[in-house]
Amino acid sequence: MRILCSLCIALSTYSKIPTPRVEWNDENRRYSMCFFPVIGLAVGLLELLWLRLCDALALGGALRGAVAAVIPLFVTGGIHMDGFMDTCDALGSWQTRERRLEILKDPHAGAFAVIGCGAYLLLLAGVMSEADAGDGAALAPCFVLSRALSALALTCFKKAREDGMLAGFARAARHKALVGCCALWAALCLGALMLFAGARGALAFAAQLAVLAHYRRMAYREFGGVTGDLAGWFLQAAELCGCAVIVLGGKIG
């Protein structure tokens, strides 16, 4: 029962997928981040179905890319994009570390947030406009892997502050179980990427690892550690890079 409660908490926190209501406590949250990649699986499957529908109906690139860029927002409710936008505002402010942390908590969207969101969605739509159903199976693991790496960072990276959602999940998590689950998810993603995309899959996996390394360096240097908003920035950046490698790598190859 506790495992099912953890699954429901993960889905209800990081997606708009309907779930039964469960009690929000540390016991029920203990394994919730182990199920975080399940949301990526839902996103990836919807992307695959959409690309197959586009191929079947011979839809053009503009509509193909636009809907594909919106699908992750539809599934997640934009929670990770919110973190991405807050991080863009904080980084663009060129303020002190303390002031950047305050900007992350500010509910208002500044100019850098709007610019960052617009640029991101244009880039993702552009990449996905070049994808077809053959790319879909390789793209799906990218959305799973980004969440597995984000959950791994939750337990391994230093936190910028002791309060907030990220710190709360970290305190409640069973660290050994979370690391083991994340490693398993990552291994499954690597296998799927290699199976469906070969060398491109390996490069996409490496690209997301490179984004993870940059995320750690940037978070420590600019904020003193990671936060929930910074985790959202990482997830969005990792997905964009992974998808770009899969789709554009296929064009080059």
Coordinates of all heavy atoms in Angstrom, one line a residue, residues 75-163:
V75 N 1.0 17.2 -19.9 CA 1.1 16.1 -18.9 C 1.5 16.6 -17.6 O 0.9 16.2 -16.5 CB 2.0 15.0 -19.4 CG1 2.2 13.9 -18.4 CG2 1.5 14.4 -20.7
T76 N 2.4 17.5 -17.5 CA 3.0 17.9 -16.2 C 2.3 19.1 -15.6 O 2.5 19.5 -14.4 CB 4.5 18.3 -16.4 OG1 4.6 19.4 -17.3 CG2 5.2 17.1 -17.0
G77 N 1.5 19.8 -16.4 CA 0.9 21.1 -15.9 C 1.9 22.2 -15.9 O 1.6 23.3 -15.3
G78 N 3.0 22.0 -16.5 CA 4.0 23.1 -16.6 C 4.9 23.3 -15.3 O 5.6 24.3 -15.2
I79 N 4.9 22.4 -14.4 CA 5.6 22.6 -13.2 C 7.1 22.7 -13.4 O 7.8 23.5 -12.8 CB 5.3 21.4 -12.2 CG1 6.0 21.7 -10.8 CG2 5.7 20.1 -12.8 CD1 5.6 20.7 -9.7
H80 N 7.6 22.0 -14.4 CA 9.1 22.1 -14.6 C 9.4 23.3 -15.4 O 10.4 23.9 -15.2 CB 9.5 20.8 -15.4 CG 9.1 19.5 -14.7 ND1 9.5 19.2 -13.4 CD2 8.4 18.5 -15.1 CE1 9.0 18.1 -13.0 NE2 8.3 17.6 -14.1
M81 N 8.5 23.7 -16.3 CA 8.7 24.9 -17.1 C 8.7 26.1 -16.1 O 9.4 27.1 -16.3 CB 7.6 25.1 -18.2 CG 7.8 26.3 -19.0 SD 9.4 26.5 -19.8 CE 9.3 25.3 -21.1
D82 N 7.9 26.1 -15.1 CA 7.8 27.1 -14.1 C 9.2 27.3 -13.5 O 9.7 28.4 -13.3 CB 6.8 26.8 -13.1 CG 6.7 27.9 -11.9 OD1 6.3 29.0 -12.2 OD2 7.2 27.5 -10.8
G83 N 9.8 26.2 -13.1 CA 11.2 26.2 -12.5 C 12.2 26.7 -13.5 O 13.1 27.5 -13.2
F84 N 12.0 26.3 -14.8 CA 13.0 26.8 -15.8 C 12.9 28.3 -16.0 O 13.9 29.0 -16.1 CB 12.6 26.1 -17.2 CG 13.4 26.5 -18.3 CD1 14.6 25.9 -18.6 CD2 13.0 27.6 -19.2 CE1 15.4 26.3 -19.7 CE2 13.7 27.9 -20.3 CZ 14.9 27.3 -20.5
M85 N 11.6 28.8 -16.0 CA 11.4 30.3 -16.1 C 12.0 31.0 -14.9 O 12.7 32.1 -15.1 CB 10.0 30.6 -16.3 CG 9.4 30.0 -17.6 SD 7.6 30.2 -17.8 CE 7.5 32.0 -17.9
D86 N 11.7 30.5 -13.7 CA 12.3 31.2 -12.5 C 13.8 31.2 -12.6 O 14.4 32.2 -12.2 CB 11.8 30.5 -11.3 CG 10.3 30.7 -11.0 OD1 9.8 31.7 -11.5 OD2 9.7 29.9 -10.2
T87 N 14.4 30.1 -13.0 CA 15.9 30.1 -13.1 C 16.4 31.0 -14.1 O 17.4 31.7 -13.9 CB 16.3 28.6 -13.4 OG1 15.8 27.7 -12.5 CG2 17.8 28.5 -13.5
C88 N 15.7 31.2 -15.3 CA 16.1 32.2 -16.3 C 16.1 33.6 -15.7 O 17.0 34.4 -15.9 CB 15.2 32.1 -17.5 SG 15.4 30.6 -18.5
D89 N 15.1 33.9 -14.9 CA 15.0 35.2 -14.3 C 16.1 35.4 -13.3 O 16.8 36.5 -13.3 CB 13.7 35.3 -13.5 CG 12.6 36.1 -14.3 OD1 13.0 36.7 -15.3 OD2 11.4 36.0 -14.0
A90 N 16.4 34.4 -12.5 CA 17.5 34.5 -11.5 C 18.9 34.6 -12.1 O 19.7 35.5 -11.7 CB 17.4 33.3 -10.5
L91 N 19.1 33.8 -13.1 CA 20.4 33.9 -13.8 C 20.6 35.2 -14.5 O 21.7 35.8 -14.6 CB 20.6 32.7 -14.7 CG 20.8 31.3 -14.1 CD1 20.8 30.2 -15.1 CD2 22.0 31.3 -13.2
G92 N 19.5 35.7 -15.1 CA 19.6 36.9 -15.9 C 19.7 38.1 -15.1 O 20.0 39.2 -15.6
S93 N 19.4 38.0 -13.8 CA 19.5 39.2 -12.9 C 20.9 39.7 -12.6 O 21.1 40.8 -12.3 CB 18.7 38.9 -11.6 OG 19.5 38.0 -10.8
W94 N 21.8 38.8 -12.6 CA 23.2 39.1 -12.3 C 23.3 39.7 -10.9 O 24.1 40.6 -10.6 CB 23.9 40.0 -13.3 CG 24.0 39.4 -14.6 CD1 23.2 39.6 -15.7 CD2 25.0 38.4 -15.0 NE1 23.6 38.8 -16.8 CE2 24.7 38.1 -16.4 CE3 26.1 37.9 -14.4 CZ2 25.5 37.2 -17.1 CZ3 26.9 37.0 -15.1 CH2 26.6 36.7 -16.4
Q95 N 22.5 39.2 -10.0 CA 22.5 39.7 -8.6 C 23.3 38.8 -7.7 O 23.9 37.8 -8.2 CB 21.0 39.7 -8.1 CG 20.1 40.7 -8.8 CD 20.5 42.1 -8.6 OE1 20.8 42.5 -7.5 NE2 20.5 42.9 -9.7
T96 N 23.3 39.0 -6.4 CA 24.1 38.2 -5.5 C 23.4 36.9 -5.3 O 22.2 36.7 -5.7 CB 24.1 38.9 -4.1 OG1 22.8 39.0 -3.6 CG2 24.8 40.3 -4.2
R97 N 24.1 35.9 -4.7 CA 23.5 34.6 -4.6 C 22.2 34.7 -3.7 O 21.2 34.0 -4.1 CB 24.5 33.7 -3.9 CG 23.9 32.3 -3.5 CD 25.0 31.4 -2.8 NE 26.1 31.1 -3.7 CZ 27.2 30.4 -3.3 NH1 27.3 30.0 -2.1 NH2 28.2 30.2 -4.2
E98 N 22.2 35.4 -2.7 CA 21.0 35.5 -1.9 C 19.8 36.1 -2.6 O 18.7 35.7 -2.5 CB 21.3 36.4 -0.6 CG 22.3 35.8 0.4 CD 23.7 35.7 -0.1 OE1 24.0 36.5 -1.0 OE2 24.5 34.9 0.4
R99 N 20.1 37.1 -3.4 CA 19.0 37.7 -4.2 C 18.5 36.8 -5.3 O 17.3 36.8 -5.6 CB 19.6 39.0 -4.9 CG 18.6 39.8 -5.8 CD 17.3 40.1 -5.0 NE 16.3 40.7 -6.0 CZ 15.0 40.6 -5.8 NH1 14.5 39.9 -4.8 NH2 14.2 41.2 -6.7
R100 N 19.4 36.0 -5.9 CA 19.0 35.0 -6.9 C 18.1 34.0 -6.3 O 17.1 33.6 -6.9 CB 20.2 34.3 -7.5 CG 20.9 35.2 -8.5 CD 21.9 34.4 -9.4 NE 23.0 33.9 -8.6 CZ 24.2 34.6 -8.5 NH1 24.4 35.7 -9.1 NH2 25.2 34.1 -7.7
L101 N 18.4 33.6 -5.1 CA 17.5 32.6 -4.4 C 16.1 33.2 -4.1 O 15.1 32.6 -4.1 CB 18.1 32.1 -3.1 CG 19.3 31.2 -3.2 CD1 20.0 30.9 -1.9 CD2 18.8 29.8 -3.8
E102 N 16.1 34.5 -3.8 CA 14.8 35.2 -3.6 C 14.0 35.3 -4.9 O 12.8 35.1 -4.9 CB 15.1 36.6 -3.0 CG 15.6 36.7 -1.6 CD 15.9 38.1 -1.2 OE1 15.6 39.0 -2.0 OE2 16.5 38.3 -0.1
I103 N 14.7 35.5 -6.0 CA 14.0 35.6 -7.3 C 13.4 34.3 -7.6 O 12.3 34.2 -8.2 CB 15.0 36.0 -8.4 CG1 15.4 37.5 -8.1 CG2 14.4 35.9 -9.8 CD1 16.5 38.0 -9.0
L104 N 14.0 33.2 -7.3 CA 13.5 31.8 -7.5 C 12.1 31.7 -6.8 O 11.2 31.0 -7.4 CB 14.4 30.7 -7.0 CG 15.7 30.5 -7.8 CD1 16.5 29.4 -7.2 CD2 15.5 30.2 -9.3
K105 N 12.0 32.3 -5.7 CA 10.7 32.1 -4.9 C 9.7 33.2 -5.3 O 8.5 33.0 -4.9 CB 11.0 32.2 -3.4 CG 11.8 31.1 -2.9 CD 11.9 31.1 -1.4 CE 12.6 32.3 -0.8 NZ 12.7 32.2 0.7
D106 N 10.0 34.1 -6.2 CA 9.1 35.2 -6.6 C 8.1 34.6 -7.6 O 8.5 34.0 -8.6 CB 9.9 36.3 -7.2 CG 9.0 37.5 -7.5 OD1 7.8 37.4 -7.6 OD2 9.6 38.6 -7.6
P107 N 6.8 34.7 -7.3 CA 5.8 34.1 -8.2 C 5.6 34.8 -9.5 O 5.0 34.3 -10.4 CB 4.5 34.1 -7.3 CG 4.7 35.3 -6.4 CD 6.2 35.3 -6.1
H108 N 6.2 36.1 -9.6 CA 6.0 36.8 -10.8 C 7.0 36.4 -11.9 O 8.2 36.1 -11.5 CB 6.1 38.3 -10.5 CG 5.1 38.8 -9.5 ND1 5.4 38.9 -8.1 CD2 3.8 39.2 -9.7 CE1 4.3 39.3 -7.5 NE2 3.4 39.6 -8.4
A109 N 6.6 36.5 -13.1 CA 7.5 36.2 -14.2 C 8.1 37.5 -14.8 O 7.4 38.4 -15.2 CB 6.8 35.4 -15.3
G110 N 9.5 37.5 -14.9 CA 10.1 38.7 -15.4 C 10.4 38.5 -16.9 O 10.1 37.5 -17.5
A111 N 11.1 39.5 -17.4 CA 11.4 39.5 -18.9 C 12.3 38.3 -19.3 O 12.0 37.6 -20.3 CB 12.2 40.8 -19.3
F112 N 13.3 37.9 -18.5 CA 14.1 36.8 -18.8 C 13.4 35.5 -18.8 O 13.7 34.6 -19.6 CB 15.3 36.7 -17.9 CG 16.3 37.9 -18.0 CD1 16.4 38.8 -17.0 CD2 17.1 38.0 -19.1 CE1 17.2 39.9 -17.1 CE2 17.9 39.1 -19.3 CZ 18.0 40.1 -18.3
A113 N 12.4 35.4 -17.9 CA 11.6 34.1 -17.8 C 10.7 34.0 -19.1 O 10.7 32.9 -19.7 CB 10.6 34.2 -16.6
V114 N 10.1 35.1 -19.6 CA 9.3 35.0 -20.8 C 10.2 34.7 -22.0 O 9.8 33.9 -22.9 CB 8.6 36.4 -21.0 CG1 7.8 36.4 -22.3 CG2 7.6 36.6 -19.8
I115 N 11.3 35.4 -22.1 CA 12.2 35.2 -23.2 C 12.7 33.7 -23.2 O 12.8 33.1 -24.2 CB 13.4 36.2 -23.1 CG1 13.0 37.6 -23.4 CG2 14.5 35.8 -24.2 CD1 14.0 38.6 -23.1
G116 N 13.1 33.2 -22.0 CA 13.6 31.9 -21.9 C 12.6 30.8 -22.3 O 12.9 29.9 -23.0
C117 N 11.3 31.0 -21.8 CA 10.3 30.1 -22.2 C 10.0 30.1 -23.7 O 9.8 29.1 -24.3 CB 9.0 30.5 -21.4 SG 7.6 29.4 -21.7
G118 N 9.9 31.3 -24.2 CA 9.6 31.4 -25.7 C 10.7 30.8 -26.5 O 10.4 30.0 -27.5
A119 N 11.9 31.1 -26.2 CA 13.0 30.5 -26.9 C 13.0 29.0 -26.8 O 13.3 28.2 -27.8 CB 14.4 31.1 -26.4
Y120 N 12.8 28.5 -25.6 CA 12.8 27.0 -25.4 C 11.7 26.3 -26.2 O 12.0 25.3 -26.9 CB 12.6 26.7 -23.9 CG 12.6 25.2 -23.6 CD1 13.7 24.6 -23.2 CD2 11.4 24.5 -23.7 CE1 13.7 23.2 -23.0 CE2 11.4 23.1 -23.5 CZ 12.6 22.5 -23.1 OH 12.6 21.1 -22.8
L121 N 10.5 26.8 -26.2 CA 9.4 26.2 -26.9 C 9.6 26.3 -28.4 O 9.3 25.4 -29.1 CB 8.1 26.9 -26.5 CG 7.6 26.6 -25.1 CD1 6.3 27.4 -24.8 CD2 7.4 25.1 -24.8
L122 N 10.2 27.4 -28.9 CA 10.5 27.5 -30.3 C 11.5 26.4 -30.7 O 11.4 25.8 -31.7 CB 11.0 28.9 -30.6 CG 10.0 30.0 -30.8 CD1 10.6 31.4 -30.9 CD2 9.0 29.7 -31.9
L123 N 12.6 26.3 -29.9 CA 13.6 25.3 -30.2 C 13.1 23.9 -30.2 O 13.3 23.1 -31.1 CB 14.8 25.5 -29.2 CG 15.7 26.7 -29.4 CD1 16.6 26.8 -28.2 CD2 16.4 26.5 -30.7
L124 N 12.3 23.6 -29.1 CA 11.7 22.2 -29.0 C 10.8 21.9 -30.2 O 10.8 20.9 -30.8 CB 11.0 22.0 -27.7 CG 10.5 20.6 -27.4 CD1 11.5 19.6 -27.5 CD2 9.8 20.6 -26.1
A125 N 9.9 22.9 -30.5 CA 9.0 22.8 -31.6 C 9.7 22.6 -32.9 O 9.3 21.7 -33.8 CB 8.0 23.9 -31.7
G126 N 10.8 23.3 -33.1 CA 11.6 23.2 -34.3 C 12.2 21.8 -34.4 O 12.2 21.2 -35.5
V127 N 12.8 21.3 -33.3 CA 13.4 20.0 -33.3 C 12.3 18.9 -33.6 O 12.5 18.1 -34.5 CB 14.1 19.7 -32.0 CG1 14.4 18.2 -31.8 CG2 15.3 20.5 -31.8
M128 N 11.2 19.0 -32.9 CA 10.2 18.0 -33.1 C 9.5 18.1 -34.4 O 8.9 17.1 -34.9 CB 9.1 18.1 -31.9 CG 9.7 17.9 -30.5 SD 10.5 16.3 -30.3 CE 9.1 15.2 -30.1
S129 N 9.5 19.2 -35.1 CA 8.9 19.3 -36.4 C 9.7 18.5 -37.4 O 9.2 18.1 -38.5 CB 8.9 20.8 -36.9 OG 10.2 21.3 -37.2
E130 N 10.9 18.1 -37.1 CA 11.8 17.3 -38.0 C 11.7 15.8 -37.6 O 12.3 15.0 -38.3 CB 13.2 17.8 -37.9 CG 13.5 19.2 -38.3 CD 13.2 19.4 -39.8 OE1 13.4 18.4 -40.6 OE2 12.8 20.5 -40.2
A131 N 10.9 15.5 -36.6 CA 10.9 14.1 -36.1 C 9.8 13.4 -36.9 O 8.8 14.0 -37.3 CB 10.6 14.1 -34.6
D132 N 9.9 12.1 -36.9 CA 8.8 11.2 -37.5 C 8.6 10.0 -36.6 O 9.2 9.9 -35.5 CB 9.2 10.7 -38.9 CG 10.5 10.0 -39.0 OD1 10.9 9.4 -38.0 OD2 11.2 10.1 -40.0
A133 N 7.7 9.2 -36.9 CA 7.3 8.0 -36.1 C 8.5 7.2 -35.8 O 8.6 6.5 -34.7 CB 6.2 7.2 -36.7
G134 N 9.5 7.1 -36.8 CA 10.7 6.3 -36.5 C 11.5 6.8 -35.4 O 12.3 6.0 -34.8
D135 N 11.5 8.1 -35.2 CA 12.2 8.7 -34.1 C 11.5 8.6 -32.7 O 12.1 8.7 -31.7 CB 12.5 10.2 -34.3 CG 13.3 10.5 -35.5 OD1 14.3 9.8 -35.7 OD2 13.0 11.4 -36.3
G136 N 10.2 8.3 -32.8 CA 9.4 8.4 -31.6 C 9.9 7.4 -30.5 O 9.9 7.7 -29.3
A137 N 10.2 6.2 -30.9 CA 10.6 5.2 -29.9 C 11.9 5.5 -29.2 O 12.1 5.2 -28.1 CB 10.7 3.8 -30.6
A138 N 12.8 6.3 -29.9 CA 14.0 6.7 -29.4 C 13.9 8.0 -28.5 O 14.7 8.2 -27.6 CB 15.1 6.9 -30.5
L139 N 12.9 8.8 -28.9 CA 12.6 10.0 -28.1 C 12.0 9.7 -26.8 O 12.3 10.4 -25.8 CB 11.7 10.9 -28.9 CG 12.3 11.6 -30.1 CD1 11.2 12.3 -31.0 CD2 13.3 12.6 -29.8
A140 N 11.2 8.7 -26.7 CA 10.5 8.4 -25.4 C 11.4 8.2 -24.2 O 11.2 8.8 -23.1 CB 9.6 7.2 -25.6
P141 N 12.6 7.5 -24.4 CA 13.5 7.3 -23.2 C 14.1 8.6 -22.7 O 14.5 8.7 -21.6 CB 14.5 6.4 -23.7 CG 13.9 5.6 -24.9 CD 13.0 6.6 -25.5
C142 N 14.2 9.6 -23.6 CA 14.8 10.9 -23.2 C 14.0 11.6 -22.1 O 14.5 12.2 -21.2 CB 14.9 11.8 -24.4 SG 16.0 11.3 -25.7
F143 N 12.6 11.4 -22.2 CA 11.8 12.0 -21.1 C 11.8 11.2 -19.8 O 11.6 11.8 -18.8 CB 10.3 12.1 -21.7 CG 10.2 13.0 -22.9 CD1 10.2 12.5 -24.2 CD2 10.1 14.3 -22.7 CE1 10.1 13.3 -25.3 CE2 9.9 15.2 -23.8 CZ 9.9 14.6 -25.1
V144 N 12.1 9.9 -19.9 CA 12.3 9.1 -18.7 C 13.6 9.4 -18.1 O 13.7 9.5 -16.9 CB 12.1 7.6 -19.1 CG1 12.3 6.7 -17.9 CG2 10.8 7.4 -19.8
L145 N 14.7 9.4 -18.9 CA 16.0 9.6 -18.4 C 16.2 10.9 -17.7 O 16.9 11.0 -16.6 CB 17.0 9.5 -19.5 CG 18.5 9.6 -19.2 CD1 18.9 8.6 -18.2 CD2 19.4 9.6 -20.4
S146 N 15.6 12.0 -18.2 CA 15.8 13.3 -17.6 C 15.2 13.2 -16.1 O 15.8 13.9 -15.2 CB 15.1 14.3 -18.4 OG 13.7 14.1 -18.4
R147 N 14.2 12.5 -15.9 CA 13.6 12.4 -14.6 C 14.4 11.5 -13.7 O 14.4 11.7 -12.5 CB 12.1 12.0 -14.7 CG 11.2 13.1 -15.2 CD 9.9 12.6 -15.7 NE 9.0 13.8 -16.1 CZ 9.1 14.5 -17.2 NH1 10.0 14.1 -18.1 NH2 8.3 15.5 -17.5
A148 N 14.9 10.4 -14.2 CA 15.8 9.6 -13.4 C 17.0 10.3 -12.9 O 17.4 10.2 -11.8 CB 16.2 8.3 -14.3
L149 N 17.6 11.1 -13.8 CA 18.8 11.9 -13.4 C 18.4 13.0 -12.5 O 19.2 13.3 -11.5 CB 19.5 12.4 -14.7 CG 20.0 11.4 -15.7 CD1 20.7 12.1 -16.9 CD2 21.1 10.6 -15.0
S150 N 17.2 13.6 -12.7 CA 16.8 14.6 -11.7 C 16.6 14.0 -10.3 O 16.9 14.7 -9.3 CB 15.5 15.2 -12.2 OG 15.1 16.3 -11.4
A151 N 16.0 12.9 -10.3 CA 15.7 12.2 -9.0 C 17.1 11.8 -8.3 O 17.2 11.9 -7.1 CB 14.9 11.0 -9.1
L152 N 18.0 11.4 -9.1 CA 19.4 11.0 -8.6 C 20.0 12.3 -8.0 O 20.7 12.2 -7.0 CB 20.2 10.4 -9.7 CG 21.6 9.9 -9.3 CD1 21.5 8.8 -8.4 CD2 22.4 9.5 -10.6
A153 N 19.9 13.4 -8.7 CA 20.5 14.6 -8.2 C 19.9 15.1 -6.9 O 20.5 15.7 -6.0 CB 20.3 15.8 -9.2
L154 N 18.6 14.7 -6.7 CA 17.9 15.1 -5.5 C 18.6 14.5 -4.3 O 18.7 15.2 -3.2 CB 16.5 14.5 -5.5 CG 15.7 14.4 -4.2 CD1 15.2 15.8 -3.8 CD2 14.5 13.5 -4.3
T155 N 19.1 13.3 -4.4 CA 19.7 12.7 -3.2 C 21.3 12.9 -3.2 O 21.9 12.7 -2.1 CB 19.4 11.2 -3.2 OG1 19.9 10.6 -2.0 CG2 20.1 10.4 -4.3
C156 N 21.9 13.2 -4.3 CA 23.3 13.3 -4.3 C 23.9 14.7 -4.3 O 25.0 14.9 -3.9 CB 23.9 12.6 -5.6 SG 23.5 10.8 -5.7
F157 N 23.1 15.7 -4.7 CA 23.6 17.0 -4.8 C 23.3 17.8 -3.5 O 22.2 17.6 -2.9 CB 23.0 17.8 -6.0 CG 23.5 17.3 -7.3 CD1 23.0 17.8 -8.5 CD2 24.4 16.2 -7.4 CE1 23.5 17.3 -9.8 CE2 24.9 15.8 -8.6 CZ 24.4 16.3 -9.8
K158 N 24.1 18.8 -3.2 CA 23.9 19.7 -2.1 C 22.7 20.6 -2.3 O 22.5 21.0 -3.4 CB 25.1 20.5 -1.8 CG 25.0 21.5 -0.6 CD 26.3 22.2 -0.4 CE 26.7 23.1 -1.5 NZ 27.8 23.9 -1.3
K159 N 21.9 20.8 -1.3 CA 20.7 21.6 -1.4 C 21.0 23.1 -1.1 O 21.8 23.3 -0.1 CB 19.6 21.1 -0.5 CG 19.3 19.6 -0.5 CD 18.9 19.1 -1.8 CE 18.7 17.6 -1.8 NZ 19.9 16.9 -1.5
A160 N 20.5 24.0 -1.8 CA 20.7 25.4 -1.6 C 20.0 25.9 -0.3 O 20.5 26.9 0.3 CB 20.3 26.3 -2.8
R161 N 18.9 25.3 0.1 CA 18.2 25.7 1.3 C 17.5 24.4 1.9 O 17.3 23.5 1.2 CB 17.2 26.8 1.1 CG 16.3 26.6 -0.1 CD 15.4 27.8 -0.3 NE 14.6 27.6 -1.5 CZ 14.6 28.5 -2.5 NH1 15.3 29.5 -2.5 NH2 13.8 28.3 -3.6
E162 N 17.2 24.5 3.1 CA 16.7 23.3 3.9 C 15.2 23.3 3.8 O 14.6 22.3 4.2 CB 17.1 23.4 5.3 CG 18.6 23.2 5.5 CD 19.1 21.9 4.9 OE1 18.5 20.9 5.0 OE2 20.2 22.0 4.3
D163 N 14.5 24.3 3.3 CA 13.1 24.3 3.1 C 12.7 24.1 1.7 O 13.6 23.9 0.8 CB 12.4 25.6 3.7 CG 12.9 26.8 3.0 OD1 14.0 26.7 2.3 OD2 12.3 27.9 3.1

